[in-house]
């Protein structure tokens, strides 16, 4: 299942994020990007389209979507939520494509755009 919110923002400016795009482009064949989000979630709707555009600009194709729902108690439910300790969305994890080792993690309220935050961890 695809997250609508991961559709690339058509007005996103790759030139403004050249360093982040370059970092992802250099790693494109060696990483898996796992995205937990919900099309109902305002943070996901505001943050994920730009991240989708960044991945698109960098040529990253190995992207897995994990749609999340909110339970009555506010906890998140969905694929691999427990295995990866997902409590807030969006959460994005970058893994090594060969080993599955977690290389970087973005969780909802970081103070930088998703692509920038993750690229800094990956450099």
């Amino acid at each position: 299942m695809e997250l609508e919110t991961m559709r690339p923002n058509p007005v996103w400016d790759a030139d403004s994020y050249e360093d982040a795009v370059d970092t992802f482009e250099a790693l494109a064949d060696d990483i898996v990007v796992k995205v937990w989000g919900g099309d109902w979630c305002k943070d996901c709707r505001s943050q994920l389209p730009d991240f989708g555009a960044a991945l698109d600009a960098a040529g990253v194709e190995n992207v897995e979507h994990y749609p999340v729902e909110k339970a009555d108690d506010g906890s998140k439910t969905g694929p691999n939520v427990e295995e990866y300790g997902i409590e807030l969305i969006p959460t994005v994890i970058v893994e090594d494509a060969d080993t599955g080792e977690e290389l970087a993690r973005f969780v909802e309220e970081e103070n930088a755009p998703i692509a920038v935050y993750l690229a800094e961890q990956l450099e």
Side-chain angles (χ1 to χ4, degrees), residues 33-87:
V33 179
K34 299 185 175 193
V35 181
W36 282 263
D39 295 333
W40 51 269
C41 165
K42 72 176 174 54
D43 289 321
C44 296
R45 288 196 310 265
S46 70
Q47 296 177 45
L48 290 178
D50 286 354
F51 184 57
L55 292 177
D56 204 41
V60 175
E61 294 179 5
N62 203 350
V63 181
E64 298 175 3
H65 298 220
Y66 296 99
V68 174
E69 296 297 329
K70 190 174 359 180
D72 291 340
D73 66 0
S75 67
K76 306 300 185 287
T77 62
N80 293 332
V81 164
E82 288 182 22
E83 294 88 327
Y84 283 89
I86 307 302
E87 295 177 8

